[in-house]
Amino acid sequence: MQVMQRVRAMAVALMLALGGGMLAAGPVMAQVELNLRDADIRSFAEIVSEATGRSYVLDPNVRGTVTVLAPQPMSAEALYEVFLNVLELNRLTIVEGVDADRIVPMNTARELSPGSADGGFETRVISVEHVPLAEIVEVVRPLLPAEAVLTPVPGAKLLILSDRGASYRRIEALIRRLDTPRDDPIEIIRLRNANASDVLQVIQSMEIVPAGSNVSVDRRSNALLVSGSSRLREQVRVLAGRLDGQQNNTVSQVLTLNYADAAALADVVLRSFGNDDSPTGGTIRIVPEPQTNALLITAPADRMSAIISMARHLDQRPQQVLVEAVIFEMSVQGFADLSAQFGAVVDNAVVGGVQFALEGRASLSSLVATAADGGTVDPGSGGVLGGRNGGEDGFVGLLTAIATQTSTRLLSTPSLLTLNNQEAEIVVAQNVPFVTGSFTTVGETNNPENPFQTIERQDVGLTLTVTPQINADNTVRLEIAQEVSNLTNATADAGGEITARRALSTTVLVQGGNVVMLGGLVEDGSGSVTQEVPGLAALPLVGGLFRGKNASRDQRVLLVMLRPQIINSETEARRLTRQAARDARQASLALQPTSRQNYPPTPDMSLPFDGANLDQPFDAGFIDDVAKSRNFPPLPSRIQFTGN
């Protein structure tokens, strides 16, 4: 008790000093001597209150003793610091207020609000927008006093709080602080080869995830979910990418092609990738399957998408080219001769006179010899005037003249439809046999034994071979080989027929839809043969009797023209097909013979398709209408299709 009284006296002196200091010109640093042994903590709080001038409200649970040894005097600030240490050692704390502070146990302090106490009990609704209600309740509930009630409403994202006014305001401020949107976004990193759980274990073992950040796994999509700073997300992204690309993951896939040839496309794609080892391991294998026109691809997973993309890009619908050609040839051959032959005949032989041996014309001696042998005299074509006087001996005269003209006109219009860069050929010809050799053996008799001939067959007619290549500017490069041949109805001296052949081989570049002339020939030739008796042929009036002459003239025109048309779609191909059918029908109608309406009737020989309806059986137009109507049961009618 004496110690306590001494301390109180010192505290009173301290207060007087502090009070006097307020009236003095400068502050007075009052000193307090403190020496307590097993003093009641409530009494120590009273001493501090008197020394510092602060008011304290003590909780009923504030109990205990305190021992403070201070050999030197201390200031009021130091005394308050010692008081706080004593409270902390006794698991007590100060809840500051406006006019009075509260000294309570530490486990009770979390339920009290700073500032003035407001004893009014309130029930209010707090809305939560960004954070789940369960997380808010888990954080806030331990901070509520025992009498407070916190009820979550998950459907409406609301919290109902019943508490004292000051405590309510404290809890509401805390909830507002917690209910804020997170600054760090959540990034999803999907893995293609590695397992996400294994990658997460590697990341966690490296201890690169700071506090407040998180890395988790979504097993359904095999992905990592990263929540944290941009630096952390970048580290996880790089690390996951390297771990995801280090596996030797080879996959296989079947790619069915629509237009391209599987064997050709497989070679192109394989060479474009070099068939080298992938950085992630594995070799690319592409096997064509011709039965289904498909590619069997085995490659690393990181390169499979590039291979499929390239193959699909090359597997495009190819363009087509319709090549229309016009081959026109016209030739005119003219021939004329005029000759007079006469002479004396003795013993059926011409012993004197004038005679000529011209091409295509018999001489006077040969005619006389034929007549003497009783044969039929053939002076040849043209006008002939001849005569003989006397018996076996006499005078014979022959005057011949002829003029011939042969004209030929040949027009061929072949057409070919082919794919881009694909060779197409059309042949309209006769396969004519030509004798190339013969062999016979002669035995003991003159009759040949085992005779035989070697024969070679050749096409005589029209042949057109075209290989088009479509360029990016719609020009067409054409490699063309064209040949037209025919029999001349003439025979060579060694035997066998003579054929006329016109061939052309070239490469041209032409805009699609334009006409280009590939080649042409204009030929004009003439010749003459004159035989005469010198001197006498120059006589006036009668000089013509001593001359023989024939003359020939040949003229020929040959033109070869071509037009390519690029076909990009099925609609355009259908349109050109209909147009070709209409043109062919018009040509066939122009060539069809006229029906005399007598028996047997002239059959319809025109093209059965008019371009309007091509979707019908090809033999539908060749069934005779009478045969259809008189057969029992009658033949079925034409099948009609409604498709375009």
Side-chain angles (χ1 to χ4, degrees):
M1 292 298 294
Q2 293 178 356
V3 175
M4 295 299 297
Q5 291 176 357
R6 183 181 178 185
V7 172
R8 288 193 182 96
M10 291 181 181
V12 171
L14 177 61
M15 292 298 297
L16 292 175
L18 291 175
M22 297 174 61
L23 298 175
V28 177
M29 300 299 294
Q31 300 295 318
V32 178
E33 292 182 3
L34 189 62
N35 189 4
L36 301 178
R37 293 182 182 275
D38 297 327
D40 184 56
I41 196 170
R42 288 176 171 268
S43 299
F44 184 50
E46 183 180 354
I47 295 172
V48 174
S49 175
E50 293 175 354
T52 59
R54 298 186 63 85
S55 301
Y56 295 111
V57 177
L58 276 65
D59 188 271
N61 295 322
V62 176
R63 296 184 181 88
T65 60
V66 61
T67 299
V68 179
L69 302 178
Q72 301 293 332
M74 63 181 65
S75 64
E77 291 81 1
L79 178 62
Y80 187 74
E81 182 68 23
V82 172
F83 181 61
L84 293 179
N85 293 331
V86 170
L87 294 179
E88 184 176 357
L89 291 174
N90 288 273
R91 307 301 296 171
L92 301 173
T93 187
I94 296 177
V95 179
E96 296 182 354
V98 179
D99 297 324
D101 298 337
R102 287 166 285 178
I103 300 177
V104 297
M106 285 186 177
N107 58 358
T108 309
R110 67 173 183 269
E111 304 175 0
L112 303 178
S113 301
S116 60
D118 187 357
F121 207 81
E122 300 178 4
T123 299
R124 296 188 183 183
V125 177
I126 304 174
S127 62
V128 179
E129 297 180 0
H130 305 290
V131 181
L133 292 179
E135 296 182 8
I136 297 291
V137 172
E138 184 179 358
V139 174
V140 173
R141 192 178 294 278
L143 305 178
L144 294 175
E147 64 274 10
V149 178
L150 180 63
T151 305
V153 184
K157 301 189 72 174
L158 299 175
L159 290 174
I160 301 176
L161 177 61
S162 297
D163 199 358
R164 297 188 305 273
S167 178
Y168 170 81
R169 286 187 290 272
R170 177 176 64 91
I171 298 300
E172 184 183 25
L174 178 59
I175 292 175
R176 296 302 178 201
R177 181 76 177 272
L178 295 174
D179 187 27
T180 56
R182 296 182 179 179
D183 296 332
D184 297 334
I186 298 176
E187 183 174 349
I188 299 176
I189 303 175
R190 289 185 172 86
L191 305 179
R192 298 169 55 187
N193 303 316
N195 185 274
S197 299
D198 298 339
V199 175
L200 177 60
Q201 292 180 3
V202 175
I203 295 174
Q204 291 176 345
S205 64
M206 297 182 66
E207 298 181 355
I208 62 174
V209 182
S213 302
N214 187 28
V215 180
S216 59
V217 172
D218 180 17
R219 291 183 174 83
R220 294 175 301 174
S221 59
N222 193 37
L224 296 176
L225 281 68
V226 185
S227 174
S229 63
S230 59
R231 182 173 178 275
L232 172 65
R233 288 184 276 112
E234 179 66 21
Q235 286 180 333
V236 174
R237 189 185 310 113
V238 173
L239 180 59
R242 292 179 179 177
L243 295 176
D244 189 40
Q246 290 180 354
Q247 294 191 6
N248 184 11
N249 192 358
T250 302
V251 295
S252 299
Q253 188 168 344
V254 178
L255 178 62
T256 303
L257 304 178
N258 295 322
Y259 307 104
D261 179 69
L265 187 60
D267 181 65
V268 172
V269 175
L270 194 59
R271 285 190 289 111
S272 66
F273 282 89
N275 198 21
D276 55 349
D277 290 341
S278 173
T280 58
T283 303
I284 300 175
R285 297 182 181 86
I286 303 177
V287 179
E289 203 288 307
Q291 186 69 25
T292 59
N293 195 36
L295 297 179
L296 309 180
I297 306 173
T298 301
D302 60 338
R303 308 192 72 179
M304 179 61 73
S305 60
I307 296 174
I308 296 296
S309 177
M310 177 177 290
R312 292 193 184 280
H313 178 76
L314 296 176
D315 185 29
Q316 300 292 329
R317 178 187 177 94
Q319 293 177 301
Q320 300 183 90
V321 180
L322 175 63
V323 181
E324 299 174 295
V326 174
I327 304 171
F328 175 77
E329 181 180 4
M330 184 178 67
S331 62
V332 177
Q333 297 176 345
F335 176 80
D337 75 348
L338 174 65
S339 62
Q341 304 179 64
F342 55 89
V345 178
V346 177
D347 294 333
N348 293 325
V350 178
V351 296
V354 178
Q355 66 176 351
F356 305 105
L358 299 175
E359 180 182 359
R361 184 68 66 185
S363 63
L364 180 62
S365 299
S366 62
L367 295 177
V368 171
T370 301
D373 294 338
T376 302
V377 178
D378 183 9
S381 303
V384 179
L385 179 63
R388 178 178 179 176
N389 62 344
E392 294 181 356
D393 301 330
F395 184 81
V396 178
L398 178 66
L399 178 64
T400 58
I402 190 173
T404 63
Q405 181 175 341
T406 303
S407 62
T408 303
R409 180 177 181 270
L410 177 63
L411 177 64
S412 301
T413 58
S415 298
L416 283 174
L417 179 64
T418 181
L419 293 176
N420 185 25
N421 287 317
Q422 296 296 321
E423 180 181 294
E425 182 182 41
I426 183 173
V427 177
V428 182
Q430 293 178 322
N431 196 251
V432 179
F434 292 92
V435 178
T436 58
S438 61
F439 179 79
T440 58
T441 58
V442 179
E444 297 178 354
T445 63
N446 293 330
N447 296 327
E449 297 179 358
N450 300 323
F452 67 89
Q453 293 179 326
T454 58
I455 297 176
E456 180 183 355
R457 291 184 174 272
Q458 297 181 4
D459 291 334
V460 178
L462 176 96
T463 302
L464 176 63
T465 304
V466 179
T467 303
Q469 176 183 321
I470 303 174
N471 301 322
D473 57 349
N474 283 337
T475 57
V476 183
R477 181 178 181 271
L478 298 168
E479 295 181 2
I480 304 165
Q482 181 266 329
E483 177 181 337
V484 178
S485 58
N486 63 285
L487 300 174
T488 60
N489 297 324
T491 305
D493 294 338
E497 297 196 37
I498 299 176
T499 59
R501 178 175 178 266
R502 283 81 65 196
L504 179 147
S505 179
T506 183
T507 301
V508 297
L509 185 68
V510 59
Q511 187 72 28
N514 292 350
V515 178
V516 61
M517 187 177 74
L518 303 180
L521 172 67
V522 177
E523 184 180 284
D524 189 355
S526 61
S528 63
V529 176
T530 301
Q531 296 179 356
E532 61 182 18
V533 178
L536 298 179
L539 295 176
L541 297 179
V542 297
L545 298 176
F546 300 95
R547 289 195 301 268
K549 180 180 180 180
N550 65 13
S552 62
R553 183 172 184 179
D554 297 338
Q555 292 181 328
R556 178 178 298 174
V557 177
L558 174 64
L559 293 177
V560 180
M561 294 179 291
L562 185 142
R563 176 176 65 184
Q565 295 192 61
I566 301 175
I567 301 176
N568 297 309
S569 62
E570 186 67 26
T571 302
E572 191 172 358
R574 187 182 298 112
R575 179 183 61 81
L576 292 175
T577 302
R578 294 177 185 275
Q579 182 62 39
R582 285 192 290 267
D583 295 342
R585 183 174 179 83
Q586 293 297 327
S588 63
L589 289 175
L591 297 175
Q592 182 175 342
T594 304
S595 178
R596 302 288 184 179
Q597 300 300 327
N598 53 4
Y599 188 81
T602 302
D604 183 8
M605 302 176 64
S606 63
L607 185 73
F609 306 107
D610 58 359
N613 183 16
L614 300 178
D615 297 325
Q616 53 183 312
F618 284 178
D619 60 348
F622 298 94
I623 300 177
D624 186 62
D625 294 336
V626 177
K628 283 174 54 178
S629 61
R630 293 187 179 181
N631 282 329
F632 297 98
L635 296 175
S637 60
R638 276 182 169 184
I639 300 177
Q640 299 292 334
F641 296 90
T642 58
N644 294 329

